[in-house]
Amino acid sequence: MSHHEIPLSKPDITKLEEDLVLEVLQSGRLSIGPMQERFESLVAERCGTTHAIACSSGTAGLHMVLVGLGIGPGDEVITTPFSFIASANAILYVGATPVFVDICPSSLNANPELIEKAITPRTKAILAVEAFGNPTYFDEYQKIAAKHEIPLIEDSCEALGTVYKGTPAGSFGRAGVFGFYPNKQITTGEGGMIVTNDDRLANACRSLRNQGRAVAGRGAIAGGSTSGSWLHHERLGFNYRMSEINAALGVAQMQRLDELIQLRNDTANRYVERLLDVPELTLPTIDSECSVMSWFVFVVRLAAGYTREERDRVIAGLRMHEIGAGDYFPCIHLQPIYQRAMGFGEGSYPIAESVSQRTIALPFFSGMSLRDIDIVAQTLELMISRENLSRRD
Ligand SMILES: *Cc1c(COP(=O)(O)O)cnc(C)c1O
């Protein structure tokens, strides 16, 4: 995944994952089978929802939820500019308009007051993201959505396992979506999952992921000629299915979720201890009402006043020392495709822009050794001092 000696992220795969994948390969059933159902049950149980629908990626999950809710051209969806690009892209896929609102500088999540101000008669949903797993404001988003009678869509791709004010991430909204790319808390290689309590939306998504086929009861057999439904397509669907091989990885990883969250917390705590006294750095802030914090990545930021160029040199310096570091996240509205398609420029969302040009994602994975954390912290301090020195010249 990375040639760096200490990578930015690393999946945690054990014998359990290997055994379950092998079980699938030996079973001969490689798609639409029992592993998917097991994986779905484990995620639904964890989130306390009645439905979980596995799919091929987090992006596919977001796309299906928007289609399933009937959102399309002419509709507006309020979202954050400080996220991975997929959360806004899903809105463009259905022909709707993403309406960005600026973020709060401590949680890095969309500012609820600005969401409320951005609501118009065309607003058809709020698509909120737990930035780096941080759940702050999700209860407020829920209230705003209820008050205006529009759905809250939760892009929880960075927050599997997080619990805030007693509610698991993914279950605040009408639907929540998780992603299982190898840098997430759990991975299936590629994969995603929609969770919801809405029967109709769940059925729509099950049909959409499977080429618009009717949902013929759970576990309908692929290609079964007796059912007569395999080549019957009720709506414009997609092939967004998850294979049994991916689902097997998901089952094993879900069984280990508590362990993985604990290991990631240990790493985060060690970073905090190690970096707390560095005056040039702002560390992540987690609300005390977050009873389980499931860390996606560990992102620090340089104090106000440091420029993007200085931040980029710190990242380059870390990489020079074989340390994987990333610029999570460049603002979505400043990505070339969004500038071109929607006419955004610098200054549109000043807080998101100011934060985003100073953030540094540090190597972060379960089981990261204390020695590696110390090397990263030491090198980071060194690179910052180097910037401070060159400022004085
Ligand atoms: C990872 C991620 C996604 C997309 O997940 P994929 O499985 O890679 O498609 C969507 N939104 C956010 C916020 C993410 O971090």
Side-chain angles (χ1 to χ4, degrees):
M1 202 161 163
S2 165
H3 61 278
H4 293 291
E5 197 172 69
I6 306 178
L8 183 54
S9 71
K10 193 165 76 175
D12 184 331
I13 302 296
T14 64
K15 179 111 187 346
L16 182 63
E17 283 80 357
E18 291 176 10
D19 287 347
L20 287 183
V21 168
L22 198 59
E23 190 184 314
V24 167
L25 294 176
Q26 290 169 344
S27 77
R29 183 126 172 221
L30 301 189
S31 189
I32 315 182
M35 278 300 175
Q36 170 170 286
E37 286 194 18
R38 275 173 72 183
F39 185 29
E40 289 177 342
S41 304
L42 285 167
V43 176
E45 198 180 312
R46 185 80 189 199
C47 295
T49 57
T50 45
H51 302 279
I53 301 108
C55 55
S56 54
S57 70
T59 309
L62 290 169
H63 185 191
M64 286 192 285
V65 166
L66 287 160
V67 174
L69 290 171
I71 293 166
D75 297 339
E76 295 174 353
V77 178
I78 299 174
T79 192
T80 172
F82 188 74
S83 175
F84 181 59
I85 195 166
S87 50
N89 279 357
I91 300 167
L92 291 184
Y93 293 164
V94 298
T97 306
V99 174
F100 296 110
V101 298
D102 213 341
I103 60 170
C104 135
S106 60
S107 66
L108 309 184
N109 288 340
N111 182 331
E113 284 174 27
L114 297 178
I115 291 183
E116 186 122 39
K117 281 197 195 131
I119 289 177
T120 73
R122 281 145 69 114
T123 308
K124 289 292 147 56
I126 299 167
L127 194 160
V129 182
E130 286 105 347
F132 310 135
N134 190 327
T136 298
Y137 297 139
F138 271 74
D139 55 329
E140 296 194 36
Y141 300 157
Q142 207 174 33
K143 282 184 208 138
I144 296 169
K147 180 173 152 199
H148 295 273
E149 299 183 30
I150 50 174
L152 170 64
I153 301 167
E154 214 181 328
D155 177 346
S156 299
C157 286
E158 303 182 357
L160 179 70
T162 286
V163 180
Y164 183 58
K165 299 187 179 178
T167 303
S171 68
F172 282 94
R174 173 79 66 84
V177 178
F178 299 106
F180 308 121
Y181 187 73
N183 66 344
K184 312 278 186 188
Q185 287 91 333
I186 73 163
T187 186
T188 59
E190 296 285 356
M193 187 80 74
I194 298 165
V195 291
T196 183
N197 289 320
D198 179 334
D199 294 344
R200 213 168 54 174
L201 179 62
N203 271 334
C205 292
R206 284 197 184 97
S207 170
L208 287 167
R209 80 171 161 189
N210 193 16
Q211 306 282 17
R213 292 182 170 100
V215 179
R218 292 234 187 167
I221 294 168
S225 55
T226 48
S227 74
S229 71
W230 188 248
L231 291 178
H232 179 74
H233 307 273
E234 301 201 313
R235 62 184 103 212
L236 179 63
F238 312 98
N239 177 359
Y240 282 167
R241 295 184 302 265
M242 171 181 278
S243 85
E244 284 288 282
I245 304 165
N246 299 92
L249 275 169
V251 168
Q253 295 260 286
M254 276 308 287
Q255 287 174 0
R256 298 180 51 228
L257 181 60
D258 288 323
E259 172 201 340
L260 294 171
I261 290 174
Q262 184 57 54
L263 288 168
R264 294 171 87 89
N265 266 284
D266 293 345
T267 302
N269 292 339
R270 178 70 181 184
Y271 265 130
V272 171
E273 259 171 49
R274 208 41 200 76
L275 297 170
L276 200 56
D277 298 329
V278 182
E280 295 89 348
L281 287 179
T282 305
L283 302 185
T285 329
I286 305 304
D287 193 310
S288 61
E289 294 200 65
C290 176
S291 56
V292 181
M293 174 61 194
S294 179
W295 292 86
F296 166 48
V297 284
F298 194 82
V299 175
V300 298
R301 75 175 186 268
L302 295 172
Y306 283 89
T307 63
R308 175 191 302 277
E309 290 67 33
E310 288 170 319
R311 187 277 310 265
D312 288 348
R313 275 198 301 269
V314 170
I315 292 180
L318 287 166
R319 289 182 178 161
M320 200 94 83
H321 286 80
E322 307 286 308
I323 292 167
D327 58 343
Y328 289 7
F329 280 116
C331 287
I332 297 176
H333 68 280
L334 296 180
Q335 296 286 353
I337 154 82
Y338 281 82
Q339 293 211 35
R340 230 185 302 123
M342 301 187 65
F344 291 114
E346 301 261 353
S348 305
Y349 302 97
I351 299 176
E353 289 168 24
S354 157
V355 164
S356 141
Q357 65 180 9
R358 289 179 286 119
T359 49
I360 304 170
L362 300 177
F364 188 75
F365 43 91
S366 65
M368 196 175 164
S369 72
L370 295 183
R371 180 180 161 273
D372 282 356
I373 295 169
D374 285 339
I375 291 174
V376 173
Q378 249 170 43
T379 315
L380 177 60
E381 286 181 89
L382 198 68
M383 293 304 123
I384 295 172
S385 337
R386 199 178 64 173
E387 284 309 314
N388 293 345
L389 279 176
S390 73
R391 278 183 155 192
R392 283 194 227 133
D393 295 340

